[in-house]
Amino acid sequence: MRMPVDRRQMLLGSGLFLMTLPVSAAREALKIPQGAGPLPAEWIGAPSITLWDGLPPGSPRTAPKPSITLDPTFITGVARPEMRLFRPKRSNGQAILTIPGGAYTFVSIRNEGTDVARTFTELGYTVFVLVYRLPGEGWANRADVPLQDAQRAMRLIKSRAGQFSIDPDRISVIGFSAGGHLAASLITAGRDGCYDGRDAADQLDPLPSLAALIYPVISTEPPYTHQQSVEMLLGPNPTAEAIERRSPARRIGANTPPTFLVHALDDVPVPSQNSLLFLDAMQRARRPVEIHLFEEGGHGFGIGPSNAPAGQWPQLLSAFIARHMAPS
């Protein structure tokens, strides 16, 4: 049951409410996976699948350059978007496309990429980690650029399903933070024509069979939105039409796949109301949906703290997939 909140709580997010609750002074600090650092060996060794032959759509005259100040695991300057492939020792015939976050400013490929791949390959899934183009790096039609890459990635996975020993009708997408916004856009606006087709793969339906949105940015307007993500995607002064096109909760329809939502109630940058907005819209559309709201975890916890309930979401998601995914 959703608790009523006053205007001040709405502006500051549900963390304000939690501050009034008694907390044990002896509570152990959360053990949250870190996103920063050098490139993991497993990332370096993973096969790369380039999304586009030749230049991607809307390429600028000068290719974007990587940041020299951010850690290597926060990827910028994405001139050649790609997927990295991670195979399980024993496949269950299913695949996951994971879309890391980073406020549409960078792509966090450690805590929301390789950590996710390791966790889900252990459960039998073939995992693809998407490195998508960043809309503020000079591309034409900036609001469409990440979605173009997500559409193309899903189509390539389906077109090569036999090569990867997976069922093209049993592919899920997981998105984190701004990557959660991109995943939500894929499942609600993925059939929009965002680029000219280049090969037979582009004739395939880009919708996945199921989605998981982990602390996603859903709202593109105050008071709940993450302003940096919205500005990077839409620019500093987006029109009402641009906001509408990239507000995924407003675009849920009869074809929106079953969706699994995860959020921490103490998430300040992206308040849990974002997931609740998507939940409400899914319920109004009578689409299958499940939500898990955790007391603690903050923002950007990836696969979750190992010493708190939020760290159990991968297993809960696997159970959700098993309930909704048709057997091969």
Side-chain angles (χ1 to χ4, degrees), residues 22-302:
V23 178
S24 170
R27 179 177 289 185
E28 181 182 27
L30 294 178
K31 297 178 180 179
I32 295 177
Q34 296 302 302
L39 290 175
E42 55 197 321
W43 179 264
I44 296 171
S48 172
I49 302 169
T50 301
L51 297 188
W52 307 95
D53 292 332
L55 294 175
S59 293
R61 292 191 177 188
T62 302
K65 303 294 184 183
S67 169
I68 61 173
T69 59
L70 292 176
D71 281 11
T73 50
F74 299 142
I75 293 179
T76 58
V78 183
R80 302 283 288 180
E82 64 171 349
M83 295 182 285
R84 293 290 174 110
L85 170 62
F86 299 85
R87 291 182 180 271
K89 291 182 178 179
R90 186 174 180 178
S91 175
N92 62 11
Q94 301 186 52
I96 289 172
L97 174 66
T98 183
I99 306 180
Y104 284 124
T105 306
F106 58 85
V107 182
S108 184
I109 57 92
R110 182 179 174 186
N111 63 330
E112 295 164 355
T114 55
D115 286 356
V116 178
R118 187 184 321 112
T119 298
F120 282 91
T121 54
E122 289 175 357
L123 296 173
Y125 299 90
T126 299
V127 179
F128 302 83
V129 180
L130 180 62
V131 179
Y132 52 94
R133 288 171 293 153
L134 300 167
E137 293 190 332
W139 305 92
N141 301 317
R142 64 188 294 164
D144 289 346
V145 164
L147 184 55
Q148 290 170 350
D149 288 347
Q151 290 172 319
R152 179 68 177 172
M154 188 59 64
R155 285 167 167 151
L156 286 179
I157 295 171
K158 289 185 177 183
S159 71
R160 303 178 189 179
Q163 174 186 335
F164 303 130
S165 300
I166 59 173
D167 184 339
D169 294 323
R170 303 177 79 194
I171 302 172
S172 302
V173 64
I174 304 177
F176 298 82
S177 192
H181 179 272
L182 179 49
S185 298
L186 179 64
I187 63 174
T188 58
R191 288 175 173 165
D192 288 1
C194 291
Y195 65 89
D196 294 331
R198 297 195 175 187
D199 53 33
D202 287 324
Q203 302 302 312
L204 298 177
D205 189 347
L207 292 191
S209 296
L210 186 143
L213 310 179
I214 316 301
Y215 42 85
V217 177
I218 297 297
S219 176
T220 53
E221 298 175 285
Y224 303 134
T225 193
H226 185 252
Q227 195 61 36
Q228 181 181 358
S229 297
V230 173
E231 287 188 6
M232 293 305 297
L233 181 65
L234 303 180
N237 298 297
T239 64
E241 180 184 4
I243 291 172
E244 183 72 21
R245 287 184 69 238
R246 290 295 170 257
S247 294
R250 300 178 187 175
R251 302 202 59 186
I252 291 169
N255 295 316
T256 304
T259 301
F260 180 92
L261 296 155
V262 171
H263 229 112
L265 291 170
D266 62 350
D267 188 334
V268 175
V270 182
S272 57
Q273 283 90 346
N274 279 269
S275 285
L276 291 169
L277 284 170
F278 204 86
L279 171 72
D280 288 347
M282 288 287 285
Q283 288 184 308
R284 288 196 301 272
R286 300 183 182 273
R287 300 304 299 148
V289 63
E290 180 168 313
I291 190 168
H292 294 270
L293 297 176
F294 295 102
E295 176 194 1
E296 52 185 350
H299 189 74
F301 54 73

